[in-house]
Amino acid sequence: MQDARPRLVAFGNVAVGFIAIGNVAVGVVAIGASVAVGPIAIGINAVGILLGLGLNAAGTAAIALINGLGLYTFAGVNGLGARTIAYVNAGESAFVALLWLALQLVAARLVSRRMPAQSAEAQPATVPLAEIMSGAREEGLVRARVRAITEEGVQIEEDTPEATVASLAFSDRARASLEAAQRVPGSPAMLVTVRASREMPSQAVEANYRSAPQVSRVLWSEDFKAIPAPPPFWARPGVVPRLSRVSLAVGATIALAEFVVQWF
């Protein structure tokens, strides 16, 4: 149950997604014309961890028109479960709960082995804006929000509890990168490359040569990068196997509880 490109709704002959619809469907909600597999499965042959619904169905709750197997089974012809209702052959035993528990645990183990490793997208290291302003650093990447834009530069506010404010002059390509970053949907904050330079005002050049030169520190914006919005939970890699594993744990817990209730 590994989805390389997760989608909210996936269609196809073999469909894999959060909601999968196809001839063969694998998803959190799977609807298959032939086979459906997932926590909730609906199809001719449905294998649902929590709910299976179809002509032939298996699941913690299995509802089948012909053959059903599960913890709680409702079948039109043949049914086997810990609690069963079937119109022709009904098999009912507490040991089915034990069998279902074992199947859930084995399936959870198999799913865990195939799950992709969770890898949070590494964010670039940022530095405090105050360090660049004070001279402790000459340049660095700052997470900040844009407060105002002028012809010559931009005023930013650091997106941290300190909320340091600074005015930056535009470098050659900074304005273009700012406009491009503002078009990207996502966080209102941006990653701003800030560089400091020391410049001597024109008045200082005309001053008496014996006087100490007045050097000012000018901050420049070199580049702006948008911070994309995090993907919705259903689009994160591995969402189908992870939710399947949770469903297996829930199904195993219900099976164990049912076995205890019936046996003791």
Side-chain angles (χ1 to χ4, degrees):
M1 296 184 187
Q2 185 168 343
D3 44 350
R5 293 185 178 179
R7 304 177 189 174
L8 177 58
V9 181
F11 298 93
N13 183 46
V14 178
V16 179
F18 189 83
I19 300 173
I21 302 172
N23 183 42
V24 176
V26 179
V28 177
V29 178
I31 303 173
S34 178
V35 177
V37 180
I40 299 174
I42 303 169
I44 294 177
N45 300 295
V47 180
I49 299 170
L50 298 179
L51 173 64
L53 175 62
L55 292 180
N56 303 300
T60 299
I63 303 173
L65 292 179
I66 300 177
N67 302 305
L69 169 64
L71 196 62
Y72 307 108
T73 303
F74 306 89
V77 181
N78 304 307
L80 176 62
R83 298 182 187 274
T84 306
I85 296 175
Y87 289 99
V88 179
N89 299 309
E92 189 171 279
S93 171
F95 287 102
V96 175
L98 200 60
L99 172 63
W100 192 249
L101 170 63
L103 290 174
Q104 303 274 56
L105 294 177
V106 171
R109 182 66 176 170
L110 294 175
V111 170
S112 297
R113 288 181 179 178
R114 301 186 61 184
M115 280 173 54
Q118 281 186 310
S119 57
E121 207 171 305
Q123 291 291 331
T126 58
V127 301
L129 180 57
E131 290 187 7
I132 303 176
M133 296 175 67
S134 66
R137 294 176 180 267
E138 292 303 315
E139 64 179 330
L141 193 65
V142 176
R143 183 185 175 105
R145 299 168 181 253
V146 173
R147 294 185 59 179
I149 302 174
T150 65
E151 288 296 323
E152 295 77 21
V154 60
Q155 186 182 69
I156 63 171
E157 179 181 327
E158 193 174 15
D159 191 37
T160 63
E162 290 77 15
T164 305
V165 177
S167 294
L168 314 178
F170 281 134
S171 63
D172 294 339
R173 301 177 60 182
R175 182 182 285 275
S177 68
L178 172 59
E179 292 173 352
Q182 287 179 320
R183 289 194 293 268
V184 177
S187 170
M190 298 181 185
L191 295 175
V192 187
T193 302
V194 180
R195 176 179 60 85
S197 65
R198 298 178 182 274
E199 297 186 5
M200 186 180 299
S202 57
Q203 303 93 300
V205 177
E206 300 171 0
N208 190 306
Y209 69 93
R210 291 184 178 180
S211 62
Q214 298 177 355
V215 179
S216 62
R217 191 171 181 80
V218 179
L219 300 180
W220 297 83
S221 57
E222 295 290 334
D223 185 49
F224 293 84
K225 290 189 182 299
I227 301 176
F233 77 94
W234 49 261
R236 294 170 188 169
V239 65
V240 172
R242 286 191 174 88
L243 289 179
S244 297
R245 188 177 66 171
V246 171
S247 300
L248 287 165
V250 172
T253 302
I254 296 173
L256 178 60
E258 183 62 34
F259 177 75
V260 170
V261 168
Q262 290 201 27
W263 187 255
F264 298 100

